[in-house]
Amino acid sequence: MEQKNNRQIAHSKIDHIFRDLLPVYGMAERPAQVALSHRMLDAMLDGSIALCDAGTGIGKTYAYLVAGAVFRQFRASERLADQPIVISTSSIALQDAVIHDYLPFLSRIMMEDGLLDSPLRAVLRKGKSHYVCDARLMRRLQTANLDRKNPLAKAALLSMRDHLDLDLAPHLSSYDRERICVPQTCDCGKSDCRYLRYMDVCASGRYAIHVCNHNLLLADAIHRGSGRRPILPDSCAVVADEAHKLPETARQMFGITLAAGELRALCRKLRGERFLLASETLEETAGPLLTEMAKPWSGDSAFSQFSGLLTTVEQTLAVIHRQIRRMLTAATRRELEQVLDKAKLFCLRQSDMVYYTAEDEGGGSMLCASASDLTAQLRQTLWRQDRPMVLASGTLAVGSDFRHFKAETGLLAEGRVREHTAPSPFDYRRNCLLYLPVMPPKQHTRHYYASLTRQIAALIEAAHGHALILFTSYAAMSAVKEGLEKRELSYPMFTLGRNSGHTMEQFRTSPGSILLAAGAAWEGFDFPGDCVSLLILPRLPFPIPDAVKERERTKHPTLHDFLQAVVVPEMQIKLRQGFGRAIRTERDTCVVAILDERAADGHRYAKDMMDALPEMPVAHSLEEVKAFVRAVKPEGYFLEGAA
């Protein structure tokens, strides 16, 4: 009876926070957000795995933070162990926002109301390589010629005497970073070690919330599943925000990757230990492979482009290992053996592994291999843990169908799964217009890019700039950019490359401008207001065929079954992610133009496309686009951007 009362009290607190406290600070009450927070709390109370598809603007971050805060109070009333909540995300921006914006604000208003006695403290957790090792730092400072270093790099290196987090020194060279970070095997046991003291504080119970990325969450799960020491503390609940990224992260974490930086780092270490011949031989042998890996990753880079070049590298590594391994320091020998083992694995091409390429941190290619069945790995590590989990994202489901995500993550047969969809509060019927041209450009024609550029230019003029154009390939983006430049449009035009920060700021601060983008720009970028009043999608974002997809294809009896079970749902989810760039607040208005002939009325994927998007009016002529823009935009909008 007491537990039932405590559950009711917990749910009543959620209603009080959302309906009484937050509106005082200008936050509108959203019934769907309140319902979402209740479902998240139910999952925590029941030990379930909640799949929560939260539409754009629903406010899912506050939903799970409120649910988590109330759940901790429920546990206290039940005299259960005081354990933190782990929140995992895929983006640094969201991690920072949770720690520095969302949680302090929520803590403050709950304390003012008497719901909390002390603030909810949060800590950002990272892997060892993000922190400085004092012993290695001192060795580096003693051996480095500081007078010959770049002034910014020198200042960054010296600053680490006062800072533990390497990410606080953006000008720290990769060479220095590699030499002063905490090594994977860290067992110095020194009482004055800042890193160990920090780990002790993290484990002390001081923090109610531990925030990390998906990689660290899965690394902790792998440690627990294999009986090794956990990385994160025992928690009372796990929240995985941006959970649609979990399968991609799992593919990396449960597999093997080889990046160009690993080969370059090994060459530097061999040279640093005076094995100049070995270093030069490896650099020469690996040169063609490194050149190929440095080229911009396009998504369709086949593994076979690299495998032949890797064979000679593997042979050179084997010779170096055989001849000088006993003369190397333990750290360099270990690194040589790790790179050699990876090269051997990639050269063997085992039948139970899937081999593919992915984009590395510098925008080039890295080689990847993963087990063909990731779902078994996830079931054995993450889902078998006896603690509640909330998986939240704006793109876990298509409509209310979670089957694709559950199949990807091994949750189809998991009895603890509960599903909840929270539709966006935005009025798309009033504030959005979907434009589908009567005669879209036909891709398999000689004049496709000329036709596509012509239609894009006409849309830009109709909407008076303020346009974001999302491409599915960098080649298409380059072709259209060239065509638009020849037309000399009267609006500033920017191209979003892989180093996006500067370009994003230029676009935001240049009213009426045009931004061409691809890759990561399909999700995570936020353009509220009139900045994006025209969103153009030249092609539906179907996944690019690769080794992973080929392996998945073999699991389905027919091509049609494979398309319906895997390819179409992935396209719909990616489409929803791109569409989410259009409207970011209740007052935003936008034209969304899809120029893919396959989405035209009566064509093969028209229904699939419409099923993925919210209901909104559809236009087929530029005159309708012009009328919509004129009706929803203020006069000042039409004066922006044009030269």
Side-chain angles (χ1 to χ4, degrees):
M1 179 63 72
E2 182 181 355
Q3 187 183 63
K4 183 177 180 181
N5 289 337
N6 287 336
R7 286 180 69 112
Q8 291 174 343
I9 291 170
H11 280 290
S12 68
K13 287 179 180 178
I14 286 181
D15 288 331
H16 176 55
I17 291 168
F18 281 109
R19 292 173 178 163
D20 300 326
L21 300 188
L22 291 176
V24 172
Y25 294 88
M27 297 179 63
E29 180 187 337
R30 294 171 177 163
Q33 182 187 36
V34 182
L36 175 63
S37 190
H38 280 299
R39 299 293 77 76
M40 290 172 167
L41 176 60
D42 280 334
M44 294 176 184
L45 293 170
D46 298 336
S48 304
I49 299 173
L51 306 184
C52 300
D53 187 89
T56 304
I58 198 69
K60 68 179 184 301
T61 307
Y62 277 122
Y64 62 68
L65 287 176
V66 169
V70 169
F71 177 57
R72 279 177 50 82
Q73 293 184 334
F74 168 85
R75 286 178 59 86
S77 68
E78 293 287 312
R79 299 177 181 82
L80 298 172
D82 182 17
Q83 295 177 326
I85 290 174
V86 170
I87 297 176
S88 169
T89 82
S90 71
S91 71
I92 295 173
L94 182 53
Q95 292 164 15
D96 289 341
V98 167
I99 292 176
H100 300 298
D101 299 325
Y102 289 101
L103 202 57
F105 172 68
L106 182 62
S107 264
R108 179 167 60 83
I109 67 169
M110 290 180 70
M111 288 178 66
E112 290 174 356
D113 190 66
L115 284 176
L116 283 176
D117 296 325
S118 58
L120 293 166
R121 295 187 177 91
V123 62
L124 179 60
R125 302 295 302 274
K126 305 179 185 181
K128 289 180 179 178
S129 62
H130 291 269
Y131 301 105
V132 66
C133 168
D134 286 332
R136 300 184 80 202
L137 173 63
M138 294 310 297
R139 284 199 298 271
R140 181 63 187 144
L141 290 175
Q142 290 167 3
T143 58
N145 188 338
L146 297 179
D147 293 333
R148 297 185 62 183
K149 290 186 72 67
N150 173 286
L152 290 175
K154 174 183 175 180
L157 180 61
L158 292 172
S159 74
M160 297 320 301
R161 294 177 298 188
D162 303 312
H163 300 295
L164 178 65
D165 190 339
L166 295 172
D167 296 333
L168 295 177
H171 297 293
L172 187 68
S173 73
S174 57
Y175 185 82
D176 285 337
R177 185 181 181 115
E178 178 189 325
R179 273 150 186 76
I180 68 172
C181 69
V182 176
Q184 286 303 306
T185 303
C186 172
D187 53 5
C188 70
K190 294 181 179 178
S191 59
D192 60 344
C193 172
R194 286 183 292 161
Y195 172 71
L196 292 180
R197 289 206 308 269
Y198 176 66
M199 289 295 101
D200 288 341
V201 172
C202 290
S204 66
R206 171 183 171 85
Y207 298 105
I209 309 287
H210 287 242
V211 180
C212 66
N213 61 19
H214 293 339
N215 297 73
L216 199 65
L217 177 69
L218 289 176
D220 178 69
I222 293 169
H223 275 230
R224 291 172 184 272
S226 60
R228 285 183 283 170
R229 182 180 179 180
I231 301 171
L232 298 169
D234 291 339
S235 59
C236 61
V238 173
V239 176
D241 199 349
E242 301 173 315
H244 64 280
K245 290 283 193 179
L246 273 175
E248 177 185 332
T249 307
R251 192 170 292 118
Q252 295 177 11
M253 293 300 296
F254 293 120
I256 302 293
T257 62
L258 178 62
E262 295 176 73
L263 286 167
R264 294 194 183 97
L266 180 57
C267 289
R268 287 198 301 268
K269 287 200 170 183
L270 291 171
R271 189 166 57 250
E273 296 190 14
R274 299 293 187 266
F275 292 101
L276 302 182
L277 179 60
S279 174
E280 291 171 2
T281 302
L282 182 56
E283 285 177 344
E284 182 179 348
T285 305
L289 174 64
L290 293 174
T291 299
E292 197 66 27
M293 294 175 78
K295 294 178 181 177
W297 184 78
S298 61
D300 54 0
S301 303
F303 184 85
S304 57
Q305 289 178 231
F306 307 91
S307 56
L309 299 172
L310 183 62
T311 301
T312 53
V313 176
E314 187 269 333
Q315 292 169 351
T316 300
L317 288 167
V319 171
I320 292 172
H321 181 257
R322 185 169 61 249
Q323 292 183 347
I324 66 172
R325 67 181 184 277
R326 292 185 177 88
M327 294 178 277
L328 297 170
T329 62
T332 301
R333 182 171 63 251
R334 188 162 51 244
E335 190 164 331
L336 169 61
E337 290 170 349
Q338 287 174 351
V339 175
L340 175 57
D341 288 344
K342 290 182 180 183
K344 285 180 178 177
L345 175 70
F346 287 120
C347 290
L348 282 174
R349 302 293 295 271
Q350 295 172 243
S351 59
D352 60 342
M353 302 287 286
V354 179
Y355 297 85
Y356 60 102
T357 67
E359 187 173 15
D360 68 13
E361 292 181 351
S365 299
M366 64 178 175
L367 309 184
C368 307
S370 65
S372 56
D373 186 8
L374 286 175
T375 59
Q377 306 259 20
L378 283 167
R379 285 194 298 270
Q380 287 298 313
T381 54
L382 201 56
W383 312 135
R384 70 181 297 181
Q385 296 180 27
D386 186 22
R387 54 182 172 174
M389 297 188 182
V390 172
L391 310 184
S393 171
T395 51
L396 287 190
V398 178
S400 58
D401 188 349
F402 289 84
R403 280 179 299 175
H404 178 67
F405 179 78
K406 291 197 293 185
E408 269 196 310
T409 52
L411 287 172
L412 279 173
E414 176 56 63
R416 290 198 295 150
V417 170
R418 304 290 181 267
E419 301 172 2
H420 180 74
T421 56
S424 170
F426 297 159
D427 189 352
Y428 291 105
R429 292 176 181 171
R430 173 177 295 182
N431 293 341
C432 208
L433 178 72
L434 177 62
Y435 172 73
L436 302 173
V438 175
M439 297 186 66
K442 298 184 181 299
Q443 187 181 30
H444 299 295
T445 61
R446 226 165 24 105
H447 305 293
Y448 170 69
Y449 283 122
S451 176
L452 176 62
T453 302
R454 185 167 57 251
Q455 293 206 18
I456 288 174
L459 279 164
I460 290 170
E461 294 294 352
H464 295 264
H466 302 81
L468 170 63
I469 311 171
L470 286 179
F471 294 89
T472 55
S473 78
Y474 287 98
M477 182 173 75
S478 178
V480 170
K481 176 189 177 184
E482 184 179 344
L484 291 176
E485 286 175 339
K486 291 178 180 177
R487 289 177 172 270
E488 299 182 349
L489 298 174
S490 53
Y491 303 95
M493 185 169 66
F494 304 101
T495 303
L496 190 66
R498 289 176 169 83
N499 296 319
S500 57
H502 180 62
T503 306
M504 294 271 287
E505 188 59 27
Q506 284 182 306
F507 177 58
R508 285 195 177 99
T509 56
S510 302
S513 57
I514 307 160
L515 178 64
L516 283 66
W522 279 78
E523 57 178 301
F525 291 110
D526 199 8
F527 302 105
D530 289 334
C531 188
V532 175
S533 296
L534 170 64
L535 174 65
I536 302 176
L537 309 180
R539 300 288 291 171
L540 291 174
F542 281 99
I544 296 169
D546 57 19
V548 177
K549 290 290 177 292
E550 287 299 318
R551 181 59 64 95
E552 287 187 56
R553 164 70 180 87
T554 63
K555 299 176 184 177
H556 297 81
T558 68
L559 177 60
H560 179 267
D561 290 335
F562 170 63
L563 292 173
Q564 293 304 308
V566 177
V567 176
V568 170
E570 286 195 16
M571 178 276 290
Q572 291 174 310
I573 288 170
K574 186 83 171 190
L575 177 61
R576 288 182 62 195
Q577 290 167 351
F579 177 83
R581 305 313 101 211
I583 300 228
R584 305 301 298 174
T585 72
E586 284 90 342
R587 296 182 180 180
D588 287 357
T589 55
C590 189
V591 175
V592 178
I594 299 179
L595 307 183
D596 193 324
E597 60 188 304
R598 297 169 295 181
D601 288 347
H603 284 241
R604 184 174 184 181
Y605 294 108
K607 183 178 183 305
D608 295 320
M609 180 266 298
M610 295 300 289
D611 287 345
L613 301 177
E615 288 188 29
M616 69 193 101
V618 179
H620 298 288
S621 72
L622 289 176
E623 292 307 313
E624 293 173 279
V625 171
K626 293 176 184 177
F628 174 82
V629 173
R630 180 58 68 179
V632 299
K633 297 297 183 183
E635 279 303 315
Y637 169 91
F638 300 95
L639 303 176
E640 295 176 339

